[in-house]
Amino acid sequence: MRNKITKCLFPAAGYGTRFLPATKATPKEMLPILTKPLIQYGVEEALEAEIHTMAIVTGRGKRAIEDHFDISYELEHQIKGTSKEHYLTEIRDVITQCTFSYTRQIEMKGLGHAILSGETLIGDEPFAVVLADDLCTHLPDEHSSGVLAQMVELYNLYKCSIVAIEEVPEHKTDKYGIVAGDLMEGHDDLYRVDQMVEKPDPKDAPSNLAIIGRYILTPDIFDILRETKAGKGQEIQITDALMEQARQGKVLAYRFKGRRFDCGSVDGFVEATNYFYELSK
Ligand code: UTP
Protein backbone atom coordinates (compact mmCIF):
# COMPACT_ATOMS: atom_id res chain seq x y z
CA MET A 1 0.00 0.00 0.00
CA ARG A 2 1.28 3.46 -0.92
CA ASN A 3 1.38 5.71 2.12
CA LYS A 4 1.20 9.11 0.51
CA ILE A 5 -2.00 10.91 -0.45
CA THR A 6 -1.90 11.24 -4.24
CA LYS A 7 -5.60 10.97 -5.16
CA CYS A 8 -8.70 12.92 -4.35
CA LEU A 9 -12.19 11.45 -4.70
CA PHE A 10 -15.14 13.70 -5.48
CA PRO A 11 -18.51 12.03 -4.83
CA ALA A 12 -20.67 14.05 -7.20
CA ALA A 13 -23.58 11.79 -8.00
CA GLY A 14 -26.23 13.29 -5.71
CA TYR A 15 -29.44 14.72 -7.18
CA GLY A 16 -29.09 18.19 -5.63
CA THR A 17 -32.84 18.38 -5.07
CA ARG A 18 -32.51 21.53 -2.96
CA PHE A 19 -31.47 23.39 -6.11
CA LEU A 20 -34.25 22.24 -8.39
CA PRO A 21 -35.11 23.28 -11.02
CA ALA A 22 -31.51 24.48 -11.63
CA THR A 23 -30.17 20.97 -11.06
CA LYS A 24 -32.65 19.22 -13.33
CA ALA A 25 -30.19 19.11 -16.23
CA THR A 26 -27.11 20.74 -14.65
CA PRO A 27 -24.99 19.03 -12.00
CA LYS A 28 -25.09 20.80 -8.63
CA GLU A 29 -21.26 20.72 -8.69
CA MET A 30 -21.30 22.94 -11.79
CA LEU A 31 -23.25 25.76 -10.14
CA PRO A 32 -20.89 28.75 -10.03
CA ILE A 33 -19.84 30.94 -7.14
CA LEU A 34 -19.20 34.08 -9.21
CA THR A 35 -17.71 32.62 -12.40
CA LYS A 36 -16.20 29.37 -11.14
CA PRO A 37 -18.10 26.10 -10.66
CA LEU A 38 -18.10 24.59 -7.17
CA ILE A 39 -16.16 21.53 -8.26
CA GLN A 40 -13.31 23.64 -9.63
CA TYR A 41 -12.85 25.24 -6.20
CA GLY A 42 -12.56 21.71 -4.79
CA VAL A 43 -10.03 20.62 -7.43
CA GLU A 44 -7.94 23.73 -6.76
CA GLU A 45 -7.98 22.95 -3.03
CA ALA A 46 -6.71 19.42 -3.78
CA LEU A 47 -3.98 20.81 -6.03
CA GLU A 48 -2.89 23.10 -3.25
CA ALA A 49 -2.48 19.97 -1.10
CA GLU A 50 -0.19 18.63 -3.87
CA ILE A 51 -2.75 16.11 -5.07
CA HIS A 52 -2.87 15.88 -8.86
CA THR A 53 -5.02 12.81 -9.52
CA MET A 54 -8.73 13.59 -9.38
CA ALA A 55 -11.24 10.73 -9.23
CA ILE A 56 -14.83 11.78 -9.75
CA VAL A 57 -17.92 9.70 -9.00
CA THR A 58 -20.69 10.94 -11.25
CA GLY A 59 -24.16 9.80 -12.18
CA ARG A 60 -26.71 10.33 -14.88
CA GLY A 61 -26.93 13.92 -16.10
CA LYS A 62 -23.44 14.84 -14.89
CA ARG A 63 -21.53 14.92 -18.16
CA ALA A 64 -20.93 18.66 -17.93
CA ILE A 65 -18.31 17.93 -15.24
CA GLU A 66 -16.24 15.90 -17.71
CA ASP A 67 -16.55 18.56 -20.38
CA HIS A 68 -15.50 21.25 -17.92
CA PHE A 69 -12.18 19.53 -17.22
CA ASP A 70 -11.40 19.06 -20.90
CA ILE A 71 -10.32 21.33 -23.72
CA SER A 72 -13.07 22.96 -25.73
CA TYR A 73 -11.42 23.26 -29.13
CA GLU A 74 -14.20 25.34 -30.60
CA LEU A 75 -14.02 27.85 -27.76
CA GLU A 76 -10.21 27.91 -27.86
CA HIS A 77 -10.33 28.60 -31.59
CA GLN A 78 -12.92 31.36 -31.21
CA ILE A 79 -11.17 33.37 -28.52
CA LYS A 80 -7.49 32.70 -29.22
CA GLY A 81 -5.62 35.98 -29.56
CA THR A 82 -8.63 38.08 -28.52
CA SER A 83 -9.00 40.20 -25.40
CA LYS A 84 -11.16 37.47 -23.87
CA GLU A 85 -8.53 34.76 -23.86
CA HIS A 86 -7.51 35.42 -20.25
CA TYR A 87 -10.90 34.15 -19.05
CA LEU A 88 -9.69 30.64 -19.83
CA THR A 89 -6.31 30.89 -18.10
CA GLU A 90 -7.37 29.53 -14.73
CA ILE A 91 -9.18 26.44 -15.99
CA ARG A 92 -6.40 25.71 -18.53
CA ASP A 93 -3.93 25.76 -15.64
CA VAL A 94 -6.01 23.29 -13.66
CA ILE A 95 -6.39 20.94 -16.63
CA THR A 96 -2.66 20.84 -17.34
CA GLN A 97 -1.76 20.07 -13.73
CA CYS A 98 -4.22 17.23 -13.11
CA THR A 99 -5.48 13.97 -14.46
CA PHE A 100 -9.20 13.22 -14.18
CA SER A 101 -10.87 9.86 -14.13
CA TYR A 102 -14.55 9.08 -13.76
CA THR A 103 -16.84 6.33 -12.69
CA ARG A 104 -20.60 6.27 -12.28
CA GLN A 105 -22.64 5.48 -9.23
CA ILE A 106 -25.50 3.61 -10.82
CA GLU A 107 -27.95 3.87 -7.93
CA MET A 108 -27.86 6.75 -5.45
CA LYS A 109 -27.55 4.76 -2.26
CA GLY A 110 -25.80 7.39 -0.20
CA LEU A 111 -22.39 8.94 0.35
CA GLY A 112 -20.84 5.72 1.70
CA HIS A 113 -21.99 3.89 -1.41
CA ALA A 114 -20.66 6.68 -3.65
CA ILE A 115 -17.25 6.40 -1.99
CA LEU A 116 -17.30 2.62 -2.43
CA SER A 117 -18.10 3.16 -6.13
CA GLY A 118 -14.84 5.12 -6.32
CA GLU A 119 -12.71 2.15 -5.22
CA THR A 120 -11.99 1.24 -8.81
CA LEU A 121 -10.33 4.66 -9.30
CA ILE A 122 -8.49 4.75 -5.96
CA GLY A 123 -7.17 1.23 -5.38
CA ASP A 124 -5.22 0.24 -2.28
CA GLU A 125 -3.98 3.59 -1.01
CA PRO A 126 -5.07 6.33 1.37
CA PHE A 127 -7.00 9.11 -0.34
CA ALA A 128 -8.69 12.46 0.20
CA VAL A 129 -12.42 13.08 -0.27
CA VAL A 130 -13.94 16.44 -1.18
CA LEU A 131 -17.67 17.12 -1.25
CA ALA A 132 -17.64 20.03 -3.63
CA ASP A 133 -20.85 21.52 -2.25
CA ASP A 134 -18.95 22.31 0.94
CA LEU A 135 -16.80 25.20 -0.24
CA CYS A 136 -13.79 25.84 2.00
CA THR A 137 -11.50 28.85 1.93
CA HIS A 138 -8.37 30.03 3.67
CA LEU A 139 -8.37 32.37 6.58
CA PRO A 140 -7.59 35.86 5.28
CA ASP A 141 -3.97 35.41 6.30
CA GLU A 142 -1.40 34.87 3.60
CA HIS A 143 0.42 32.11 5.53
CA SER A 144 -2.65 29.93 5.99
CA SER A 145 -3.16 26.83 3.87
CA GLY A 146 -6.28 25.16 2.51
CA VAL A 147 -8.23 22.66 4.59
CA LEU A 148 -7.09 19.63 2.58
CA ALA A 149 -3.43 20.69 2.82
CA GLN A 150 -3.81 20.97 6.60
CA MET A 151 -5.33 17.48 6.72
CA VAL A 152 -2.66 15.90 4.51
CA GLU A 153 -0.03 17.29 6.84
CA LEU A 154 -1.78 15.59 9.78
CA TYR A 155 -2.15 12.36 7.83
CA ASN A 156 1.60 12.30 7.25
CA LEU A 157 2.06 12.35 11.04
CA TYR A 158 -0.69 9.97 12.18
CA LYS A 159 -1.38 7.71 9.15
CA CYS A 160 -5.05 7.12 9.89
CA SER A 161 -8.44 8.39 8.71
CA ILE A 162 -9.19 12.04 9.46
CA VAL A 163 -12.47 13.95 9.22
CA ALA A 164 -12.74 17.73 9.16
CA ILE A 165 -15.13 19.11 11.77
CA GLU A 166 -16.61 22.40 12.86
CA GLU A 167 -18.85 23.46 15.72
CA VAL A 168 -22.47 23.89 14.70
CA PRO A 169 -25.41 25.34 16.65
CA GLU A 170 -26.90 22.61 18.83
CA HIS A 171 -30.28 22.69 17.09
CA LYS A 172 -28.59 21.80 13.79
CA THR A 173 -26.97 18.48 14.77
CA ASP A 174 -29.64 16.60 12.82
CA LYS A 175 -28.16 17.89 9.57
CA TYR A 176 -24.66 16.44 10.07
CA GLY A 177 -22.57 13.48 11.11
CA ILE A 178 -21.61 14.31 14.70
CA VAL A 179 -18.45 13.09 16.45
CA ALA A 180 -17.18 13.02 20.01
CA GLY A 181 -13.83 12.05 21.50
CA ASP A 182 -10.90 13.26 23.56
CA LEU A 183 -8.41 15.88 22.50
CA MET A 184 -5.06 14.44 21.45
CA GLU A 185 -2.21 15.35 23.74
CA GLY A 186 -0.54 18.61 22.75
CA HIS A 187 -3.44 19.67 20.49
CA ASP A 188 -6.43 21.92 20.96
CA ASP A 189 -8.01 21.12 17.59
CA LEU A 190 -7.46 17.38 17.07
CA TYR A 191 -9.64 14.67 18.64
CA ARG A 192 -9.41 10.90 18.71
CA VAL A 193 -12.95 9.92 17.78
CA ASP A 194 -14.83 7.41 19.92
CA GLN A 195 -18.40 8.26 18.95
CA MET A 196 -19.93 9.06 15.63
CA VAL A 197 -23.63 9.43 14.85
CA GLU A 198 -25.32 10.35 11.58
CA LYS A 199 -27.76 13.29 11.88
CA PRO A 200 -28.72 12.82 15.54
CA ASP A 201 -31.58 14.63 17.17
CA PRO A 202 -30.14 17.49 19.26
CA LYS A 203 -31.18 15.65 22.43
CA ASP A 204 -29.20 12.52 21.40
CA ALA A 205 -26.14 14.29 19.94
CA PRO A 206 -22.87 13.43 21.74
CA SER A 207 -21.48 16.91 20.93
CA ASN A 208 -21.93 19.76 18.46
CA LEU A 209 -18.83 18.84 16.44
CA ALA A 210 -20.07 18.25 12.91
CA ILE A 211 -18.27 16.52 10.05
CA ILE A 212 -17.98 18.69 6.96
CA GLY A 213 -17.16 17.57 3.43
CA ARG A 214 -13.43 16.85 3.76
CA TYR A 215 -12.01 13.45 4.66
CA ILE A 216 -8.78 11.52 4.49
CA LEU A 217 -9.57 7.81 4.39
CA THR A 218 -7.39 4.72 4.62
CA PRO A 219 -8.26 2.09 2.01
CA ASP A 220 -9.55 -0.50 4.50
CA ILE A 221 -12.68 1.71 4.45
CA PHE A 222 -13.70 -0.06 1.21
CA ASP A 223 -13.92 -3.50 2.86
CA ILE A 224 -15.86 -1.96 5.73
CA LEU A 225 -18.25 -0.17 3.35
CA ARG A 226 -18.91 -3.43 1.51
CA GLU A 227 -20.25 -4.84 4.79
CA THR A 228 -22.07 -1.68 5.90
CA LYS A 229 -25.86 -1.94 5.87
CA ALA A 230 -28.09 0.97 4.93
CA GLY A 231 -28.52 3.26 7.93
CA LYS A 232 -30.19 6.61 8.45
CA GLY A 233 -32.43 7.54 5.49
CA GLN A 234 -31.96 4.01 4.07
CA GLU A 235 -28.58 5.16 2.70
CA ILE A 236 -25.15 3.59 3.16
CA GLN A 237 -23.54 6.11 5.47
CA ILE A 238 -19.83 6.87 5.55
CA THR A 239 -20.18 7.72 9.26
CA ASP A 240 -21.28 4.12 10.03
CA ALA A 241 -18.21 2.77 8.23
CA LEU A 242 -15.92 5.29 9.92
CA MET A 243 -17.30 4.27 13.31
CA GLU A 244 -15.90 0.80 12.62
CA GLN A 245 -12.42 2.33 12.22
CA ALA A 246 -13.00 4.59 15.23
CA ARG A 247 -13.64 1.52 17.42
CA GLN A 248 -10.00 0.63 16.76
CA GLY A 249 -8.90 4.19 17.61
CA LYS A 250 -8.12 4.91 13.97
CA VAL A 251 -10.13 8.06 13.27
CA LEU A 252 -9.10 11.61 14.10
CA ALA A 253 -11.36 14.65 13.88
CA TYR A 254 -9.70 17.94 13.02
CA ARG A 255 -11.18 21.36 13.77
CA PHE A 256 -9.75 23.01 10.65
CA LYS A 257 -8.59 26.57 10.21
CA GLY A 258 -10.57 28.33 7.53
CA ARG A 259 -14.11 29.05 6.56
CA ARG A 260 -16.68 26.71 5.09
CA PHE A 261 -19.84 27.50 3.19
CA ASP A 262 -22.62 24.94 2.84
CA CYS A 263 -23.26 25.52 -0.85
CA GLY A 264 -25.62 22.53 -0.94
CA SER A 265 -28.18 24.85 0.67
CA VAL A 266 -29.52 28.04 -0.87
CA ASP A 267 -28.58 30.13 2.19
CA GLY A 268 -24.97 28.92 2.18
CA PHE A 269 -24.72 29.38 -1.57
CA VAL A 270 -25.83 33.01 -1.36
CA GLU A 271 -23.50 33.62 1.59
CA ALA A 272 -20.54 32.23 -0.38
CA THR A 273 -21.47 34.30 -3.41
CA ASN A 274 -21.53 37.50 -1.34
CA TYR A 275 -18.26 36.61 0.40
CA PHE A 276 -16.38 35.94 -2.84
CA TYR A 277 -17.91 38.98 -4.51
CA GLU A 278 -16.64 41.23 -1.71
CA LEU A 279 -13.21 39.59 -1.98
CA SER A 280 -13.08 40.17 -5.72
CA LYS A 281 -13.66 43.92 -5.49
P1 UTP B 1 -26.27 15.57 -0.18
O1 UTP B 1 -26.73 15.01 1.09
O2 UTP B 1 -25.98 17.03 -0.25
O3 UTP B 1 -27.31 15.16 -1.31
O4 UTP B 1 -24.97 14.75 -0.60
P2 UTP B 1 -27.53 15.76 -2.75
O5 UTP B 1 -28.32 14.77 -3.54
O6 UTP B 1 -26.22 16.17 -3.37
O7 UTP B 1 -28.37 17.10 -2.50
P3 UTP B 1 -29.89 17.29 -1.98
O8 UTP B 1 -29.87 16.98 -0.51
O9 UTP B 1 -30.77 16.38 -2.78
O10 UTP B 1 -30.18 18.74 -2.26
C1 UTP B 1 -23.70 15.06 -0.07
C2 UTP B 1 -22.64 14.70 -1.09
O11 UTP B 1 -22.65 13.30 -1.37
C3 UTP B 1 -22.83 13.05 -2.76
C4 UTP B 1 -23.46 14.32 -3.30
O12 UTP B 1 -23.15 14.48 -4.68
C5 UTP B 1 -22.83 15.40 -2.43
O13 UTP B 1 -21.53 15.78 -2.88
N1 UTP B 1 -23.69 11.87 -2.92
C6 UTP B 1 -24.76 11.68 -2.11
C7 UTP B 1 -23.38 10.94 -3.90
O14 UTP B 1 -22.40 11.09 -4.67
N2 UTP B 1 -24.18 9.83 -4.03
C8 UTP B 1 -25.26 9.62 -3.23
O15 UTP B 1 -25.95 8.57 -3.38
C9 UTP B 1 -25.56 10.58 -2.25
Side-chain angles (χ1 to χ4, degrees), residues 1-280:
M1 178 181 102
R2 209 172 354 182
N3 233 338
K4 197 171 170 286
I5 309 288
T6 66
K7 295 180 180 170
C8 186
L9 186 70
F10 294 80
Y15 292 121
T17 45
R18 283 169 289 173
F19 277 88
L20 283 171
T23 46
K24 187 160 177 259
T26 303
K28 173 169 76 171
E29 296 73 16
M30 288 301 295
L31 297 179
I33 298 295
L34 304 191
T35 55
K36 200 192 296 187
L38 284 170
I39 194 158
Q40 190 179 330
Y41 286 93
V43 168
E44 288 176 3
E45 188 185 327
L47 266 177
E48 198 212 328
E50 293 180 20
I51 299 171
H52 296 265
T53 305
M54 310 299 161
I56 305 184
V57 179
T58 65
R60 284 175 291 283
K62 300 271 186 172
R63 263 187 225 154
I65 298 176
E66 292 182 46
D67 290 338
H68 184 69
F69 294 114
D70 196 356
I71 290 180
S72 163
Y73 283 104
E74 195 179 331
L75 190 60
E76 292 279 341
H77 179 73
Q78 283 296 326
I79 72 173
K80 199 170 175 59
T82 73
S83 59
K84 293 182 180 165
E85 198 173 352
H86 68 277
Y87 290 120
L88 278 178
T89 314
E90 226 177 350
I91 182 65
R92 273 185 192 150
D93 254 18
V94 168
I95 293 171
T96 51
Q97 290 183 69
C98 305
T99 63
F100 294 89
S101 52
Y102 300 87
T103 190
R104 277 194 181 199
Q105 186 187 10
I106 306 296
E107 287 176 283
M108 306 319 153
K109 293 194 207 161
L111 177 57
H113 183 258
I115 291 175
L116 181 57
S117 308
E119 181 181 20
T120 174
L121 305 175
I122 299 293
D124 187 24
E125 56 183 278
F127 59 103
V129 176
V130 166
L131 304 187
D133 47 0
D134 264 343
L135 175 50
C136 293
T137 73
H138 291 235
L139 289 174
D141 149 16
E142 60 185 279
H143 301 298
S144 66
S145 48
V147 178
L148 220 47
Q150 295 168 40
M151 293 173 77
V152 167
E153 203 175 308
L154 284 172
Y155 175 80
N156 291 336
L157 290 175
Y158 295 103
K159 306 283 182 196
C160 65
S161 291
I162 306 173
V163 296
I165 51 167
E166 73 176 14
E167 288 185 37
V168 295
E170 265 148 39
H171 67 276
K172 287 196 173 165
T173 57
D174 58 356
K175 300 202 161 28
Y176 296 91
I178 300 290
V179 302
D182 293 325
L183 274 173
M184 299 270 286
E185 215 177 291
H187 291 272
D188 61 3
D189 52 11
L190 190 63
Y191 300 78
R192 192 171 293 281
V193 174
D194 54 27
Q195 288 185 69
M196 210 170 224
V197 197
E198 183 62 23
K199 303 192 171 87
D201 235 48
K203 63 176 173 18
D204 304 324
S207 78
N208 67 337
L209 298 174
I211 304 177
I212 62 120
R214 299 290 180 278
Y215 306 74
I216 303 277
L217 300 175
T218 52
D220 53 312
I221 200 76
F222 294 127
D223 282 337
I224 301 173
L225 278 168
R226 251 185 288 283
E227 300 299 321
T228 303
K229 305 254 173 328
K232 194 115 190 172
Q234 302 313 311
E235 294 190 330
I236 296 174
Q237 300 289 354
I238 187 64
T239 35
D240 292 341
L242 275 165
M243 191 54 221
E244 216 36 58
Q245 291 186 331
R247 276 191 253 284
Q248 302 159 37
K250 289 184 180 162
V251 180
L252 301 180
Y254 172 55
R255 196 137 45 78
F256 64 94
K257 294 177 184 59
R259 181 146 181 209
R260 165 243 174 203
F261 297 94
D262 173 13
C263 294
S265 75
V266 174
D267 285 352
F269 191 91
V270 172
E271 209 184 314
T273 303
N274 290 335
Y275 177 87
F276 282 91
Y277 182 61
E278 285 305 318
L279 268 189
S280 73

